[in-house]
Amino acid sequence: MAVKVCITGAAGQIAYSLIPSVAKGEVFGAKQPVIMTLLDIPPMMKVLEGVKMEMVDLALPLLQEVIVTDDPLVAFDNVDAAFLVGAMPRKEGMERKDLLAANVKIFQAQGDALEKKAKKDVKVLVVGNPANTNAAICSKNAKSISPANFSCLTRLDQNRAQAQIAEKLKVPVPTVKNVIIWGNHSSTQFPDSRFAIVEKGAEKVPITTVNNDPAFAEYLKTDFIKSVQQRGASVIKARGLSSAMSAANASVDHMRDWWQGTKDRWVSMGVFSNGEYGIPAGLMYSFPVTVANKKVTIVEGLDINDFAREKMDLTAKELKDEKAMADSALEQKK
Ligand SMILES: NC(=O)C1=CN([C@@H]2O[C@H](COP(=O)(O)OP(=O)(O)OC[C@H]3O[C@@H](n4cnc5c(N)ncnc54)[C@H](O)[C@@H]3O)[C@@H](O)[C@H]2O)C=CC1
Ligand SMILES: O=C([O-])CC(=O)C(=O)O
């Protein structure tokens, strides 16, 4: 049977890279047929018709049907998975939370529509910024769907972190594993390399002993963290537009691992805290997780030293403040 997948913001930049990957089987499996519903706002319907034409022209074996709509109730009807990308992107000089007032209402409305129409075991990945808070709002408005079925994208931050370490060590990117992104998809996130390993053949070398170079150890505590935190802003500065190709690629990685499992490594996902690591229950916070049979489990028992504690609490506080701002923005709009 086909998997039914919705992509919102389907006429935008991220979707333009994401759609072909989903349609080709890179997310739900190389033999898994898909039906895709594409949602955008009414002024984008002409563009979306063009996107649909291009999808048809891909002539793909797994793509069974494409439905284009500006109605969330049509877009989410009976879906198994949803990528919620549609939202305003930030411009140079903005923080992602500056998008709150504009974007949070979209996720409230889409939570309502998911509640009415989606399958109860739908997997929802929120990409649109501010991603953590939007995911929290969306879930709050879809009460009959388990909060465990909502997550937000911090995989792009993980990929950036992994790639930067690989470049510094001059090793292949896939040999760097278990870098963690804690907290908010924002400049307060904590990219944590303390438990990372580098695979050298069958050997798993802890990053702390990989080259015994004090300058590298210092880099991991300073410039590495800053450059991952600021990477989105650096791309905006250079491109005049926010990351799209890499954001789509990370969305593929996130949903694929949720659907198909993580096997022998941890990945970072924004999920609701149950109080793990002293992070207040109910915060949509990025943790290291593993996934098996579509069930996400937070990796527990990691040692949190004072350096990490301070950074993890700072990003948790920002999320609490964002959530309060979102609630008050929604209150004012009533
Ligand atoms: N979590 C992450 O790692 C990342 C998140 N983002 C965020 O993803 C979002 C989308 O980025 P882009 O594709 O570059 O933006 P874009 O502006 O190219 O596309 C956004 C699309 O969403 C549509 N849209 C607006 N309101 C909508 C609604 N209510 N329902 C459905 N569609 C709606 C717009 O018409 C537009 O076609 C932004 O909020 C951006 O900040 C971007 C990169 C990484
Ligand atoms: O920085 C932005 O606004 C877009 C984004 O979330 C990212 O590239 O990580």
Side-chain angles (χ1 to χ4, degrees):
M1 223 178 45
V3 169
K4 196 168 181 195
V5 188
C6 175
I7 297 180
T8 75
Q13 325 183 66
I14 294 175
Y16 199 69
S17 289
L18 176 59
I19 287 168
S21 293
V22 173
K24 280 181 188 170
E26 290 170 15
V27 176
F28 299 100
K31 294 190 178 152
Q32 174 60 59
V34 287
I35 295 172
M36 294 179 66
T37 68
L38 306 181
L39 177 73
D40 212 292
I41 51 177
M44 300 309 287
M45 284 305 103
K46 185 157 170 268
V47 174
L48 216 46
E49 283 301 338
V51 172
K52 180 176 175 180
M53 284 182 225
E54 284 206 76
M55 289 171 76
V56 171
D57 297 348
L58 293 172
L60 291 170
L62 297 176
L63 185 57
Q64 282 196 350
E65 192 184 349
V66 181
I67 299 156
V68 161
T69 181
D70 58 10
D71 181 353
L73 295 174
V74 173
F76 294 140
D77 185 33
N78 217 23
V79 290
D80 299 285
F83 293 85
L84 304 191
V85 182
M88 188 198 283
R90 67 174 168 153
K91 308 264 173 351
E92 200 174 336
M94 291 168 86
E95 283 294 329
R96 297 182 185 98
K97 63 182 164 216
D98 298 333
L99 302 169
L100 243 168
N103 286 345
V104 84
K105 208 166 167 225
I106 297 176
F107 291 85
Q108 182 186 42
Q110 293 186 353
D112 281 343
L114 283 161
E115 167 77 5
K116 290 193 183 106
K117 301 302 280 190
K119 287 199 177 135
K120 293 302 168 202
D121 62 352
V122 62
K123 304 283 173 274
V124 181
L125 164 59
V126 174
V127 177
N129 278 317
N132 300 54
T133 299
N134 287 338
I137 297 292
C138 193
S139 166
K140 194 175 156 192
N141 285 278
K143 288 246 178 322
S144 68
I145 299 171
S146 164
N149 291 358
F150 288 82
S151 65
C152 77
L153 188 71
T154 55
R155 185 60 171 268
L156 177 53
D157 308 294
Q158 179 195 314
N159 287 349
R160 288 165 171 164
Q162 213 177 310
Q164 290 191 21
I165 289 174
E167 192 179 27
K168 197 85 178 168
L169 292 174
K170 302 198 178 7
V171 297
V173 179
T175 64
V176 178
K177 290 190 171 159
N178 299 354
V179 182
I180 301 168
I181 305 297
W182 299 98
N184 199 0
H185 174 63
S186 78
S187 54
T188 66
Q189 67 178 262
F190 172 35
D192 185 357
S193 60
R194 295 172 308 134
F195 306 99
I197 52 162
V198 180
E199 285 178 338
K200 301 212 160 163
E203 208 191 339
K204 294 184 190 332
V205 186
I207 198 147
T208 42
T209 60
V210 74
N211 58 7
N212 294 313
D213 175 359
F216 180 63
E218 184 57 23
Y219 155 81
L220 291 176
K221 282 199 225 147
T222 54
D223 289 355
F224 162 71
I225 294 178
K226 269 189 229 131
S227 76
V228 176
Q229 288 173 332
Q230 291 299 331
R231 187 67 161 187
S234 304
V235 171
I236 293 173
K237 199 158 180 225
R239 246 170 56 86
L241 289 168
S242 64
S243 300
M245 175 171 52
S246 56
N249 176 65
S251 305
V252 166
D253 289 343
H254 178 123
M255 188 65 91
R256 182 202 57 227
D257 287 350
W258 200 358
W259 205 263
Q260 303 193 39
T262 49
K263 304 184 182 79
D264 65 338
R265 74 213 151 96
W266 312 338
V267 297
S268 290
M269 282 172 72
V271 292
F272 281 111
S273 167
N274 304 297
E276 291 86 353
Y277 296 102
I279 301 305
L283 270 197
M284 172 64 58
Y285 190 95
S286 179
F287 287 100
V289 304
T290 56
V291 188
N293 300 320
K294 300 195 177 75
K295 185 176 178 298
V296 177
T297 305
I298 294 175
V299 175
E300 294 208 65
L302 299 175
D303 180 44
I304 305 301
N305 61 19
D306 290 348
F307 179 80
R309 184 78 264 161
E310 192 189 329
K311 294 196 166 358
M312 288 165 68
D313 289 347
L314 181 79
T315 190
K317 178 171 184 312
E318 183 184 49
L319 277 170
K320 267 173 92 174
D321 293 348
E322 264 186 31
K323 181 69 176 31
M325 275 159 64
D327 287 340
S328 109
L330 291 172
E331 205 47 47
Q332 280 162 23
K333 277 178 178 151
K334 268 185 191 162

